[in-house]
Amino acid sequence: MKCKFFRLIYPKSVEDAQNGSYTVALYAPCETVLDSQGNKLNSITVVGYYLPIMERMKVDIAGRWKKDAKYGLQFMMESYEEIIDPGKKGIVAYLSSGLFRGIGKRLAERIYNTFGDDALTILDNDPDRIREVPGISSKHCEQLRDSYLETRSARRIITMLAPLDVNARQAVRMQKELGIRAEELLKERPYEVFEQGLLSFEVADRLAERQGIPRTAPERVAAGLLHTLEVAEQKGHLCLHKEHFVRQAVELLRTPGLNRMTVANVAFEMLKADRLALYQSHVYRPVMAKAEDGVAQCVREMLQRSSLPYIGDLDDEIDQQQEELGFTLAEEQRQAVKTALASPICIISGGPGTGKTSIQRVFLNIYRKAFPDADIICCAPTGRAARRLEQSSGLPACTVHKALNLTAGDTNTLAMPEQVDADLVLVDEISMLDMAMTWYLFHALPPMCRLVLVGDADQLPSVGPGAVLSELLRCGRIPMVMLDKVFRQSEGSMIAENARHIRHGDTDLQFDGDFQFWGSADIQQSAEWLERLYMQEVRRYGVDNVALLTPFRAKTETGVRSMNERLRTLVNPPGANKPELSLGQRIFRLGDKVMQTKNREEVSNGDIGYIRKIERDDDGFLVEVDFHDDRIVAYEDNESLSHLDLAYATTIHKSQGGQYDSVLLSIQNCHGRMLKRPLVYTGLTRARCRAQIVGDWQAVIRAIQTTDTERRNTLLAARIIQTAT
């Protein structure tokens, strides 16, 4: 569609638009454009990233139309090309359009007067010749050359990658990372760009095919080997056995004439060049091998500490705490307190109702009494888990990210973190930490800092690669206490007891008023029952204290996306006094319950809040979310808003670290390979007072009887055992 920029609607400044902000702008068509009713359009609203907002410049925009429920017909730009009229007028208009920093109309005219109609060709192919233009200093020449090359490169990269489903924002980011050689690298060495983490393997493969790079080329095989490990990491594995590794790489590359021997030879060369890492016949990406080995080394150093400051007679101290707090610890709970106080590193693992909260309170009180000036850090992987820890411990708590002063993207490079100022660090919900975050945690601890890890070994493992808690327990070197006996059944009725049954693979569950099962093998019927039960529980406990948990985000009527739309219609229906914001297929409404899905400064991944304000005008939009604890967070662009999801229903994985008065758990046969014991156990143990399972009983039984047969490939325990002997 040929058109010309007319007016910027959002954001407020040209600078923000040029820096990659989500942009809305009006364009005037340079050709006849009709709407679906055949009416001629005099102006077009275009949305996207890095829109061409140069005045006086004609562009040919490619993309697709969409009908926004509130803002009407819009054109979503995917790529564009400049239309440069031949001759002096067109070339001068292009160079002085604002696209190139430092080139105004007068300089553009001098450039044309120097090179004539060949000006753009010369600048594209030999930009150093800009020195020939009269009246330009050497320093200014360099600035102009770099600006021209960078901008032209970005435009060409956008056009190059658009057919490969890479949007303009991603393309420009890539160009900024790679510099003026970006276009050359993408064309000639796409697999190198992939290895830098800037391009998916699939896109790199398609670019290479365009350029005629053989599918048996060593650089493709090397990239395929790395991608094979990336795919494994997405499934939670840190490594692959070398034979399986080569076989899976051959399957992934799917190239006639590319056999296992050829792939194995490339892998061997990558090992010699430290592009892959090997430990006990298992192959890693170097960053993951570094993380696993680094954690093992830290554990060894902690275990080698010969002495700790004397605290006193622990039995007397525990007896005194029992008297002050008004409860009595069982023997295994007393042992857990002693272990936490007497060890440089220890693990306390147990399910709901086993007394972990009481244990934490007692040992923290004793420690603070013995060392009143000590610095204590209490933290957890998610904001919700941190707030629970704060309530139970009586001490301030935060996320692990915040405690270590990390941002969401810091866990990919393993740069040495700042050392925390702490004598004791308590980490709750340790099962949620992946290997990279564990590396950061361990390397941030001062030399004599005590570390207490609390969690539930039977919960789902971390979303990221690794099985940290399981491996730390498996090594047998770390002082630990496994809590199994349920001491508090009253707070969760039969929930804690049934959780204990599930942990041991026992399907003989006990039902009462607060633990129920609703049988339905029909997905549609299950969705309707979940709706009805959810509203009953909301009326009883309030929307903030009820969770609907399901294994899948999409796929079925009982998936998170479908159930969120169903429940929102019931809990927060549209109204004249409820403004909405529509971005693509996502709609946010005033009063919506939402979840943050990525860490940022003010809010953590997994935090749940409510939309309290939605405003939109010609300058853009503002969404404010109340996350409680006096945290009102503003979202003013599409990038930040993309990290919000509706939270009436969530996946079981996303629910980890949270607790609710009432939990509805959807378990169906269609959940297939997801049906495993940790899934049911994790979902059930989110409930404090009431739990209800909706679905197929045979699916529930199958899940309880199925352990995690696809044990994650990680050798942390083996490394600890090796280094500790």
Side-chain angles (χ1 to χ4, degrees):
M1 178 178 62
K2 296 178 176 63
C3 55
K4 186 181 291 186
F5 170 72
F6 177 64
R7 179 167 64 88
L8 187 65
I9 298 176
Y10 175 82
K12 298 179 182 180
S13 71
V14 172
E15 289 76 16
D16 287 341
Q18 291 175 336
N19 289 333
S21 180
Y22 181 80
T23 304
V24 182
L26 283 180
Y27 287 77
C30 298
E31 59 185 359
T32 301
V33 180
L34 305 178
D35 64 15
S36 57
Q37 283 77 42
N39 301 313
K40 183 178 179 181
L41 297 176
N42 295 317
S43 65
I44 303 162
T45 302
V46 181
V47 300
Y49 297 96
Y50 291 98
L51 300 186
I53 53 174
M54 304 81 69
E55 295 182 3
R56 305 181 301 278
M57 176 57 58
K58 292 181 183 178
V59 290
D60 191 356
I61 295 178
R64 56 188 175 86
W65 292 96
K66 72 163 189 174
K67 187 67 175 290
D68 188 276
K70 186 172 183 178
Y71 300 102
L73 189 65
Q74 297 177 333
F75 191 80
M76 300 180 66
M77 188 199 78
E78 296 174 352
S79 65
Y80 74 87
E81 293 184 5
E82 300 99 346
I83 301 174
I84 306 171
D85 293 330
K88 182 176 181 177
K89 184 178 180 181
I91 293 173
V92 170
Y94 174 65
L95 291 174
S96 62
S97 64
L99 188 62
F100 309 105
R101 295 188 306 274
I103 302 181
K105 187 174 181 180
R106 290 185 179 179
L107 180 54
E109 288 178 342
R110 295 210 310 271
I111 292 172
Y112 180 84
N113 292 336
T114 302
F115 302 121
D117 291 344
D118 296 328
L120 299 182
T121 302
I122 290 171
L123 291 177
D124 284 344
N125 298 315
D126 193 4
D128 286 329
R129 287 188 64 186
I130 201 169
R131 301 177 185 275
E132 299 175 19
V133 179
I136 305 178
S137 67
S138 297
K139 184 178 180 180
H140 195 195
C141 279
E142 291 182 11
Q143 293 173 342
L144 292 174
R145 179 200 62 194
D146 293 345
S147 173
Y148 184 87
L149 287 175
E150 181 180 324
T151 305
R152 290 288 287 175
S153 175
R155 300 282 75 77
R156 286 193 292 264
I157 289 171
I158 290 172
T159 302
M160 181 197 309
L161 298 180
L164 305 178
D165 296 323
V166 178
N167 63 41
R169 185 176 189 144
Q170 293 171 306
V172 173
R173 282 181 175 175
M174 203 177 305
Q175 193 276 331
K176 288 181 177 179
E177 288 285 337
L178 298 173
I180 60 175
R181 295 183 62 232
E183 189 177 2
E184 173 193 344
L185 290 171
L186 285 168
K187 286 182 177 179
E188 298 179 8
R189 290 185 278 177
Y191 297 114
E192 183 177 316
V193 180
F194 155 74
E195 290 191 34
Q196 294 181 48
L198 301 174
L199 204 64
S200 72
F201 177 78
E202 291 76 15
V203 172
D205 222 20
R206 293 171 67 183
L207 283 171
E209 190 174 17
R210 281 185 178 181
Q211 300 302 315
I213 297 174
R215 294 182 63 79
T216 56
E219 60 265 36
R220 180 175 184 263
V221 177
L225 286 164
L226 290 171
H227 185 51
T228 299
L229 289 172
E230 289 182 342
V231 172
E233 289 170 18
Q234 292 167 8
K235 298 177 180 178
H237 304 296
L238 281 177
C239 55
L240 291 171
H241 189 277
K242 60 184 183 181
E243 293 182 2
H244 297 158
F245 171 55
V246 172
R247 184 167 60 249
Q248 290 183 25
V250 172
E251 292 174 358
L252 181 146
L253 291 165
R254 296 180 182 177
T255 301
L258 196 62
N259 56 39
R260 292 175 64 182
M261 183 61 70
T262 303
V263 174
N265 287 337
V266 174
F268 181 70
E269 294 299 320
M270 293 177 73
L271 285 168
K272 291 196 299 183
D274 295 326
R275 296 171 66 192
L276 294 174
L278 184 69
Y279 181 77
Q280 291 192 356
S281 300
H282 284 71
V283 184
Y284 299 72
R285 285 198 307 133
V287 67
M288 288 302 164
K290 177 183 175 181
E292 190 177 74
D293 186 60
V295 171
Q297 293 291 334
C298 288
V299 171
R300 181 195 67 179
E301 292 170 5
M302 290 182 181
L303 294 174
Q304 287 177 340
R305 295 178 194 167
S306 57
S307 63
L308 291 172
Y310 180 69
I311 294 180
D313 189 311
L314 294 183
D315 283 311
D316 287 346
E317 294 291 343
I318 293 171
D319 290 341
Q320 185 175 338
Q321 285 297 315
Q322 289 180 147
E323 186 175 345
E324 291 178 4
L325 296 172
F327 57 74
T328 300
L329 298 179
E331 184 55 37
E332 67 177 32
Q333 294 174 311
R334 293 178 70 94
Q335 186 58 47
V337 173
K338 292 179 181 179
T339 302
L341 292 168
S343 309
I345 177 174
C346 76
I347 302 171
I348 300 171
S349 178
T354 56
K356 295 195 298 294
T357 298
S358 300
I359 292 166
Q360 291 175 16
R361 191 177 302 170
V362 170
F363 93 74
L364 283 171
N365 285 350
I366 295 174
Y367 183 86
R368 291 163 66 190
K369 180 182 176 182
F371 309 106
D373 297 326
D375 293 314
I376 301 173
I377 292 178
C378 297
C379 57
T382 68
R384 282 180 295 164
R387 283 191 291 279
R388 282 178 50 215
L389 178 59
E390 185 169 305
Q391 294 167 0
S392 64
S393 67
L395 294 176
C398 62
T399 64
V400 176
H401 273 88
K402 188 172 183 179
L404 305 184
N405 197 28
L406 296 175
T407 61
D410 287 341
T411 58
N412 296 320
T413 56
L414 298 187
M416 188 61 69
E418 298 178 9
Q419 195 172 90
V420 298
D421 187 15
D423 301 290
L424 168 68
V425 173
L426 167 65
V427 187
D428 201 5
E429 299 286 355
I430 183 66
S431 64
M432 298 178 66
L433 285 189
D434 62 22
M435 189 59 71
M437 272 306 304
T438 306
W439 184 92
Y440 273 99
L441 170 67
F442 278 65
H443 283 80
L445 301 178
M448 296 305 294
C449 183
R450 300 177 192 237
L451 179 62
V452 179
L453 305 173
V454 182
D456 187 345
D458 295 297
Q459 285 193 32
L460 289 166
S462 60
V463 175
V468 173
L469 178 56
S470 297
E471 289 291 289
L472 292 178
L473 292 170
R474 185 176 289 112
C475 78
R477 298 292 195 272
I478 300 173
M480 66 184 73
V481 177
M482 304 294 292
L483 306 171
D484 187 60
K485 186 177 179 180
V486 175
F487 298 98
R488 287 187 301 109
Q489 195 167 307
S490 59
E491 190 176 304
S493 185
M494 295 301 300
I495 296 171
E497 187 62 31
N498 282 324
R500 189 176 67 85
H501 282 292
I502 293 171
R503 287 176 64 190
H504 296 289
D506 183 2
T507 60
D508 186 21
L509 307 184
Q510 305 299 310
F511 299 96
D512 63 8
D514 292 325
F515 187 88
Q516 298 179 343
F517 173 78
W518 303 86
S520 172
D522 182 77
I523 299 295
Q524 183 63 38
Q525 185 186 60
S526 292
E528 293 171 0
W529 284 10
L530 286 166
E531 281 185 11
R532 184 172 70 250
L533 292 169
Y534 184 88
M535 293 306 297
Q536 289 178 2
E537 298 305 284
V538 165
R539 287 190 286 270
R540 182 174 181 178
Y541 295 104
V543 67
D544 205 33
N545 298 311
V546 180
L548 194 160
L549 309 180
T550 180
F552 285 136
R553 286 188 55 79
K555 203 162 185 177
T556 71
E557 283 295 308
T558 59
V560 168
R561 291 177 183 170
S562 177
M563 291 308 305
N564 263 323
E565 292 300 329
R566 284 172 170 266
L567 299 179
R568 182 191 25 202
T569 301
L570 298 172
V571 176
N572 188 36
N577 60 342
K578 294 181 182 179
E580 295 181 356
L581 179 67
S582 177
L583 293 173
Q585 298 182 342
R586 293 155 44 87
I587 298 175
F588 295 99
R589 182 178 300 146
L590 185 69
D592 273 342
K593 183 180 182 180
V594 291
M595 176 187 288
Q596 179 73 17
T597 61
K598 188 175 182 180
N599 289 322
R600 56 184 283 187
E601 185 174 350
E602 311 95 328
V603 63
S604 302
N605 182 7
D607 281 356
I608 291 177
Y610 294 86
I611 296 178
R612 298 304 186 209
K613 179 186 288 186
I614 294 180
E615 295 179 351
R616 186 160 185 176
D617 54 29
D618 289 348
D619 293 326
F621 64 81
L622 169 66
V623 176
E624 286 186 355
V625 179
D626 184 354
F627 286 101
H628 310 300
D629 305 323
D630 298 322
R631 293 179 302 153
I632 308 296
V633 181
Y635 299 79
E636 299 182 85
D637 57 70
N638 197 52
E639 174 76 11
S640 63
L641 204 59
S642 69
H643 302 142
L644 274 187
D645 279 341
L646 293 178
Y648 302 99
T650 64
T651 63
I652 296 173
H653 280 86
K654 274 292 185 183
S655 74
Q656 290 187 92
Q659 280 198 329
Y660 307 87
D661 289 339
S662 178
V663 167
L664 297 169
L665 190 60
S666 174
I667 303 292
Q668 303 283 347
N669 262 319
C670 65
H671 296 146
R673 291 184 296 176
M674 297 273 301
L675 295 177
K676 295 175 183 176
R677 189 182 302 165
L679 186 87
V680 179
Y681 178 83
T682 301
L684 176 62
T685 54
R686 301 309 92 202
R688 283 191 290 258
C689 307
R690 186 171 167 85
Q692 300 176 82
I693 301 175
V694 177
D696 190 323
W697 183 244
Q698 291 303 312
V700 177
I701 291 176
R702 177 152 62 95
I704 294 173
Q705 293 179 339
T706 305
T707 58
D708 196 353
T709 54
E710 296 182 10
R711 181 176 164 236
R712 294 186 168 187
N713 295 326
T714 169
L715 296 173
L716 177 61
R719 291 181 190 265
I720 294 172
I721 293 170
Q722 182 183 33
T723 56
T725 54

